[in-house]
Amino acid sequence: MSSNVARMDLHDFAPEHDLLREKTILVTGAGAGIGAATALAYASLGATVILLGRTLAKLQHTYDAIVEAGYPEPLLMPFDLEKAEIETYHQMAAAIGQQFGALDGLVHCAAVLGQRTPLSNYNHEAWETVFKINVHGAFHLTKALLPVLHAAESPRVIFLSSSVGREGRAYWGAYAASKFAVEGFAQVLAQEVTQHPDFCVNVVNPGRTRTQMRATAYPGEDINTVPAPETHNGLMVYLMSKHCTGTNGLSFDAQ
Ligand SMILES: NC(=O)c1ccc[n+]([C@@H]2O[C@H](COP(=O)([O-])OP(=O)(O)OC[C@H]3O[C@@H](n4cnc5c(N)ncnc54)[C@H](OP(=O)(O)O)[C@@H]3O)[C@@H](O)[C@H]2O)c1
């Protein structure tokens, strides 16, 4: 096991009801699965959440859930991490800077699974698509947003990884390789932000979670036996909050 892998006992963690009040947090993949649950959890603690994802209708679903619950109104940001030009990332970052002055948090939930097949059979385009979304998109977005993150008092960045991003497994192809890249990228970033007094960059491996991605990866499984995305709210909130101060460059197992 890599030396930066950590677990946290959050049994006694009861977040204050306004823990994330006045925070602005961008969550990618916010239209479904872990991204949607995380965005809702942050909003419930007072954050203004920027909902980024590929499909507007899915983002609207998360938006409606937040507004109906009476939480701060989120922002919709339909954005395709595979197709967007680099310039568009920077325009988005500039717009966030103009509206909010700073960005307190960034959570990278968006990802695709790609093919479950031997490397000898892996389709070239499918391989590149996985890397464009899971790795290059996360890099372009983080790079563009670094100035507004640095402008925040306690910036937090969370990457979502996977157990196959720490130990390779047959037939997980580009997805596994992309999650190794994400783990490495997060470690590099964590070391580079230390000139900021309270900048935390961490990784979460959620483990098996009841989402579309899990259902696609394990079609024969009864998805109802798998933990819900909300299971990870405690860790996702902790790592986004002031309680995370001093925790930087670690990779957490959520389960
Ligand atoms: N579920 C698990 O068991 C599990 C286990 C280990 C790790 N993870 C990791 O946890 C994270 C969340 O996974 P999940 O299970 O919640 O997945 P999910 O339900 O499939 O959601 C993935 C999200 O990513 C978005 N996305 C995909 N391609 C995009 C693109 N080009 N541009 C913008 N957004 C894009 C999707 O939006 P659209 O639907 O609009 O395409 C969707 O909202 C991922 O990083 C995943 O690798 C999950």
Side-chain angles (χ1 to χ4, degrees):
M1 189 184 275
S2 161
S3 60
N4 74 323
V5 175
R7 284 193 185 83
M8 188 167 286
D9 182 0
L10 290 168
H11 276 105
D12 296 330
F13 178 54
E16 305 88 318
H17 74 280
D18 60 350
L19 182 61
L20 300 177
R21 194 167 61 89
E22 289 177 10
K23 301 282 184 198
T24 306
I25 303 167
L26 191 153
V27 180
T28 76
I34 297 167
T38 301
L40 197 60
Y42 291 163
S44 77
L45 299 171
T48 299
V49 188
I50 303 172
L51 307 169
L52 185 148
R54 185 162 45 182
T55 312
L56 180 59
K58 291 185 182 177
L59 296 176
Q60 271 166 338
H61 194 261
T62 309
Y63 176 99
D64 289 345
I66 290 173
V67 169
E68 276 163 25
Y71 305 146
E73 187 180 2
L75 258 78
L76 288 168
M77 191 159 291
F79 194 93
D80 189 334
L81 294 165
E82 181 187 357
K83 307 236 166 78
E85 302 287 336
I86 309 284
E87 188 50 34
T88 318
Y89 284 89
H90 288 280
Q91 285 164 357
M92 180 227 285
I96 289 172
Q98 252 175 11
Q99 185 163 352
F100 299 103
L103 183 67
D104 299 286
L106 169 62
V107 186
H108 294 281
C109 288
V112 289
L113 184 63
Q115 294 180 301
R116 295 286 317 283
T117 191
L119 291 173
S120 57
N121 193 44
Y122 215 100
N123 174 278
H124 293 96
E125 281 172 13
W127 182 280
E128 285 177 13
T129 298
V130 171
F131 266 76
K132 275 185 193 160
I133 296 168
N134 297 9
V135 182
H136 304 161
F139 162 68
H140 295 316
L141 188 62
T142 307
K143 182 179 175 190
L145 291 172
L146 267 178
V148 279
L149 284 162
H150 269 289
E153 199 180 321
S154 306
R156 307 287 186 242
V157 178
I158 304 173
F159 293 89
L160 272 284
S161 181
S162 167
S163 50
V164 296
R166 305 220 190 106
E167 189 173 351
R169 204 179 301 161
Y171 317 130
W172 282 82
Y175 179 78
S178 76
K179 292 301 185 181
F180 269 87
V182 165
E183 297 264 358
F185 175 36
Q187 288 181 20
V188 172
L189 182 65
Q191 288 193 12
E192 290 181 357
V193 296
T194 50
Q195 77 272 24
H196 190 293
D198 188 16
F199 200 136
C200 299
V201 179
N202 292 292
V203 178
V204 170
N205 163 26
R208 54 200 288 270
T209 308
R210 194 190 310 154
T211 69
Q212 186 54 53
M213 183 181 285
R214 176 76 192 184
T216 307
Y218 294 90
E221 178 180 66
D222 177 359
I223 196 74
N224 294 315
T225 62
V226 176
E230 292 74 21
T231 313
H232 314 309
N233 286 355
L235 182 58
M236 298 302 283
V237 166
Y238 182 91
L239 293 176
M240 186 50 63
S241 74
K242 63 185 180 190
H243 302 294
C244 180
T245 295
T247 304
N248 185 37
L250 294 182
S251 193
F252 288 88
D253 276 328
Q255 296 185 46

